[in-house]
Amino acid sequence: MAALTSTLRSILLVSCVALPCASTWAARNFTPQSGTWVVSSEVDGKPGRGLAIDVQGNTFFMQVFGYEKNGDATFHMATGQLDGDTITAPLIRYTGGRSFGSAARDAAAEQSVGDVTVSFRNGLKGTVQFPGEPAVAIERFLIDSNEVSLVNPLAQLGYRTSRVLAMDEGGAVAYDWAITMTRREDGVAMARLSQAYPMSTYLSYKPFQDFECYRIRSSAQLDCKAIPTKVDEWPDVKTPQVDALRLWFAAEEVLGSARVGGDQPANVSLMGRTRGAYYWTSAGLGGPNGRYRLRDSFEQSFHGASAPFESCMISCEITMVYSTLMPYNGTWMVEDEITGKPGRGLALDIQGETAILQVFNYRADGQPTFHMGSAGYGTRGADSRASLAVIPLREYAGGKSLGGPTQPARVKAEAGDAQIEFSAAPPATETSWWDDGKIKLPGEAPVRIRRLQMDAPASFAERMLGEWYLPFIGKTLKLVRVDGDAVTTANGKERCTLSQGSQGTDLSCGQPQGNAWVWFQRLKIPTSFRDDDSMIRLRDRFGNAAGLGKME
């Protein structure tokens, strides 16, 4: 993935440290989702070309897999800074890099084949104009399946829980909700809505409304109607009347809308992420003296991984946990190939129980090509705390070239299997698998890979500038100024500083008043791109909104 390091370095060096500096750029009301994108008119169930897109802050990176005029598979790369929702950048071809099983070798950039323009309508749709072609619609490639799985709301096992914020028309947080998806015995998808309830250092949730949900356009889009729900009343927890939900599950993200009733009915938009999914099965008695209840627990983990455990209080139970770890989708790199010179790259896209991998590399003669494949992805076993996919990689030929006629590609060769693995087992930290893993490519030894961070803040201040929601106190902070070792609101009254001895992971926020505080809260800085319970990013330091935007 060193193909982009020298280009990105010059881009990232000019990124602004504060929001006022970034205000010369137009801000977006969404963030394009990283992963595989496709040209809408070319989706016909046959091999073709596509886009691996990654947007972090204002930095845009795209790898295009397509074909030469002679039918050979090839790839091009474009990178630069988005101005609002649009970017025009040169599309570069590379040659001379490493092929499967070859010795390490650097590639070289050729001249641009022309400019490409990409515009986004929201986080899942947009347009692209390649050199020599008219602008065409593109969309995020999302797996549509009716197969039973942990996260398919129409054919779901167990429970899938998502954390969503309901935003009013002005973009302010109106409600903090959890949505739990299940499936009734008759196959109808069910959604339970719960209201966040702060409990000093953690959040609890009060369920207050159930919904029946039915398919809109695909298995990931649901129209939900409220049904009568009897719930216990909690003191000091106010819950609105919600008449309907419209939900779209796009990989790990959730978007949609809710119809809030009552005296002043209104529509609110939803933005959020899947927190995890799980179900369990019982297997009778076993263990010491045959007196333990045995249970298998299956989970998809976005924020942490469980481990096998046993408990024995009034009764005894042994639970074996099979945890599937969900890493970041987007651009990844082989660690020992980061040389500052062009090389090969990886695009990883894991959706539910399917892993899609694109490898942008070179043939033995040095010409660019790509290999692609998909396979099942899941736990390696109860004792491993690891997840694995073995993906057959194929090389293609004969598809559409830049400016050429639309035509399907064909499989040219089977290149062998790639194996990807992510682990939360010691000595790895519990969160390292989010952006750190291993890959074994055909004819090569296993190597470490890590998620490319194109928008990596260099300081605490740069990391924290932007707009945040603090769930424990139901407050929104717009941190736009740097004041010594603190980040503050525009008037300087509310501020956040690193907590002493936190090693850059914890901070203290509040509003000082003399020797006292109007309010004070200890918080945990979110890791990389995923938010922690104590802080949720609403907008980045450039003013771009988190989430996928409004559902169409």
Side-chain angles (χ1 to χ4, degrees), residues 305-538:
S306 302
F309 62 91
E310 64 178 69
S311 61
C312 197
M313 296 176 66
I314 298 176
S315 61
C316 299
E317 182 176 274
I318 296 177
T319 300
M320 303 301 291
V321 181
Y322 299 81
S323 186
T324 300
L325 309 178
M326 305 300 286
Y328 297 127
N329 289 332
T331 308
W332 288 67
M333 66 182 84
V334 177
E335 283 190 346
D336 60 12
E337 295 182 16
I338 305 173
T339 65
K341 298 180 181 179
R344 54 184 181 174
L346 310 169
L348 181 63
D349 194 348
I350 295 179
Q351 300 181 36
E353 297 171 355
T354 301
I356 304 168
L357 177 66
Q358 290 123 20
V359 182
F360 300 89
N361 59 340
Y362 303 85
R363 301 198 303 264
D365 63 2
Q367 292 303 304
T369 189
F370 72 90
H371 293 81
M372 183 168 64
S374 64
Y377 174 76
T379 178
R380 190 157 196 165
D383 296 327
S384 68
R385 299 188 78 195
S387 299
L388 176 75
V390 178
I391 305 173
L393 292 179
R394 296 184 171 109
E395 186 176 16
Y396 294 86
K400 181 179 174 67
S401 61
L402 292 174
T406 299
Q407 55 194 31
R410 67 182 187 280
V411 176
K412 178 181 178 181
E414 302 285 347
D417 291 342
Q419 179 174 302
I420 56 172
E421 181 177 356
F422 300 93
S423 176
T429 63
E430 186 172 312
T431 59
S432 65
W433 51 264
W434 295 359
D435 52 18
D436 184 281
K438 292 181 180 179
I439 193 167
K440 184 183 184 307
L441 293 169
E444 301 181 21
V447 291
R448 297 207 69 82
I449 58 174
R450 59 184 172 90
R451 175 73 159 89
L452 175 66
Q453 291 195 32
M454 302 179 296
D455 186 46
S459 66
F460 166 75
E462 190 174 0
R463 186 176 184 180
M464 297 308 301
L465 287 168
E467 187 173 343
W468 300 86
Y469 179 68
L470 280 52
F472 293 161
I473 55 176
K475 188 175 185 62
T476 296
L477 282 183
K478 295 182 180 180
L479 301 174
V480 299
R481 289 178 50 196
V482 178
D483 181 11
D485 60 355
V487 186
T488 77
T489 52
N491 59 14
K493 291 183 177 180
E494 296 173 299
R495 56 199 296 114
C496 296
T497 60
L498 272 175
S499 299
Q500 291 184 352
S502 71
Q503 296 183 342
T505 61
D506 300 303
L507 68 155
S508 301
C509 294
Q511 183 177 341
Q513 188 175 69
N515 295 324
W517 294 87
V518 176
W519 66 272
F520 176 83
Q521 186 75 51
R522 293 193 182 277
L523 303 165
K524 186 173 183 62
I525 301 174
T527 301
S528 195
F529 308 108
R530 284 185 182 154
D531 293 328
D532 186 80
D533 275 341
S534 66
M535 299 188 76
I536 299 175
R537 186 185 290 278
L538 302 180

Side-chain angles (χ1 to χ4, degrees), residues 197 206-208 229-240:
Y197 181 51
K206 174 196 173 184
F208 70 92
T229 305
K230 184 178 180 179
V231 297
D232 296 330
E233 293 297 327
W234 288 14
D236 304 322
V237 182
K238 296 181 180 180
T239 57

Side-chain angles (χ1 to χ4, degrees), residues 254-277:
V254 184
L255 72 158
S257 61
R259 178 67 174 172
V260 180
D263 295 335
Q264 296 181 325
N267 288 319
V268 293
S269 59
L270 305 178
M271 59 165 280
R273 294 179 183 273
T274 295
R275 296 284 297 168

Side-chain angles (χ1 to χ4, degrees), residues 49-52 62-66 74-77 91 130 360:
R49 58 181 183 172
L51 321 168
M62 178 175 71
Q63 297 169 104
V64 181
F65 54 93
T74 191
F75 76 89
H76 298 84
M77 189 189 79
L91 200 59
F130 290 118
F360 300 89

